[in-house]
Amino acid sequence: MENEKKLARMRELVSILREAGKAYYQENREIMGNYEYDRLYDELLTLEKETGITLSKSPTVQVGYELLGELPKETHESPMLSLDKTKEAGALAEWLGDKEGLLSWKLDGLTIVLTYRDGRLFKAVTRGNGEIGEVITNNAKVFANVPLSISYRGELVLRGEAVISYSDFYKINEELGEADAKYKNPRNLCSGSVRQLNNEVTAKRNVRFYGFSLVKAEGEDFENSREKQLLWLREEGFDVVEYKRVRQETVVDAVKEFAGKTEDNDLPSDGLVLTFDDIAYGRSLGRTAKFPRDSIAFKWADEIQATRLSYIEWSASRTGLINPVAVFEPVELEGTTVSRASVHNVSIVESLELGEGDEITVYKANMIIPQIAENLTKSGSVRIPDVCPVCGGPTEIRQENDVKALYCINPECQAKKIKGFSLFVSRDAMNIDGLSEATLEKFVDAGFVREFADLFHLEKHKEQILSMDGFGEKSYENLQASLERAKDTTMARFIYGLGIAGIGAAGARILSKAFDYDFEKFRHGSKEDFEQIEGIGPVIADSIFNYFQSERNNREVDRMFELVTFHDEMPSAATEVLGGKTFVITGKVERFANRKELKELIESLGGKVTGSVTARTDYLINNDAMSGSSKNKKAKELGIPIITEEEFLELTEQE
């Protein structure tokens, strides 16, 4: 228990020190003084010596980036077998018999074998084909949570799953731009991230490792219990897969409990694994040619329904990618009516040999995403369109990551325009209410809108718009009011709205700040200028640079500049009344909708808001100055004023 407390504190210190280091070295600002940083650094160093553990990304060690020509191959000491499977919870109870077991998530990522020698990470190898894997040691060193050193000094070998969470997957895909042609799920992204030749890319992907099986730790006595092995691994600094101890009479209820967590589970999982806790008993069972007998996998019993494929709909995106979508006769799946399923790419269309009228079976993958399970007819009559279904322009098939994807290559494609306009008016961009994709399609079809600036001249077409279905005088006036409000915007919203491939809302904010909120400076930046910005790699740098090499794009931006104005985002004497001041906010707020609103006000006045009280904090905002919270105690200890919201507002007036 004491070791777990130390590990929790170590994780906290690594996070605080990394944030401080990034602020100082990459953002040219300080969130704590040298004395405070050194004190926390020394505390972390002491804890590392006491526990013998060094966590991933600890500032006390420096892991260099390395570029390889190829990943070396290595044969596993013992074959990594697959698990036998069942979809019946009752079968798990029968399999377990009178023994106790551990029921855990079957994480859907990439299986990795880690080896430690003399307390240090010595080797990391992928499962590969079960016999031969790829050596990815340098990549494993930059996983988000793999310990680089541990207290145990013998040879330690453990197996686990490298995964990327759903939330990180969506965020990374947004930054990758056309990632929908490359990565369709977290597992594919994780595989691509773990097997990079350049581990700097791996480091940015937030790959996490969860141990599920201890292979070797000579000299340690685990009292014949797998659970004690997992608990010991936790004490050594490893994250282990979430599990529940079960018996024959409790395993079915435990399966239901896990099933109830599926929708909210941020880690991708395709089922559960049941393992005997009794190590010796499990080993005594031996193995078959394919499966070990000490564990069994439980796959969610996908509800599969037969239906008939009506047609393949080819859906164009603003990047030019044309996605195939299967449209079939409606069926009930997992309590909802389903009539469509993404087929993802041309390769899958071909492998399924799809044809209109084919009898197919469909299910919800992991009980969430509609998929085609099988094509029973396999007529193969679907033809890949050689013209775009929207503009009639030519298409081409591109090979990306061993996958064929279809693209429209007409730069004037209407679908690209509609999707582009849809992004431009979205909430995180220009935030124009009343312009749904369907409405935009009507306006584009009618010739009202050919470029962004046309959106702000819809008054020319007032009579025609009022005659359209769904439009009356009131809705038209509301739209005009929304367009007028949108003219006063920010550089970040404007950049995001342009739809430059790879630039999400967060990236647009980073770019705005990096170029001092000067759009012309940003527009004329070089590839090298972009690459030097944290979070902007060479691919996105090329994307930005190439966007502004287009005369058409520049003309469109120039026309918009005649209509919009950016907020004065550069600090000024009038707006920077809290310049140089650092605040921490805690407790309930009363004068603001929430803490975020208060934080935004402080930042708009030139101040900073951090999450923890340090010697560099100027004020702690807390309406309950007598609270016994840790932040209050820390502020009193350091002599930092604790002020209420009222006092804060008075402070801004005095300043």
Side-chain angles (χ1 to χ4, degrees), residues 86 88-97 103 251 255 272 274 296-298:
T86 181
E88 299 294 331
L92 294 181
E94 186 178 337
W95 180 89
L96 193 57
L103 186 67
V251 67
V255 169
L272 305 171
L274 179 60
I296 186 171
F298 172 82

Side-chain angles (χ1 to χ4, degrees), residues 18 56-57 62-72 121 124 135-144 146 148 164 190-207 534:
R18 279 179 60 80
S56 171
K57 300 186 178 181
Q62 188 67 42
V63 177
Y65 295 131
E66 182 179 341
L67 183 61
L68 303 176
E70 63 177 13
L71 293 173
L121 178 59
V135 180
I136 49 104
T137 310
N138 220 47
N139 292 352
K141 287 179 180 178
V142 296
F143 285 1
V146 165
L148 301 178
I164 290 177
C190 183
S191 178
S193 302
V194 168
R195 300 173 63 249
Q196 287 285 330
L197 298 177
N198 182 355
N199 71 334
E200 186 173 3
V201 177
T202 309
K204 294 176 180 177
R205 299 285 175 82
N206 206 26
V207 179
E534 175 70 17

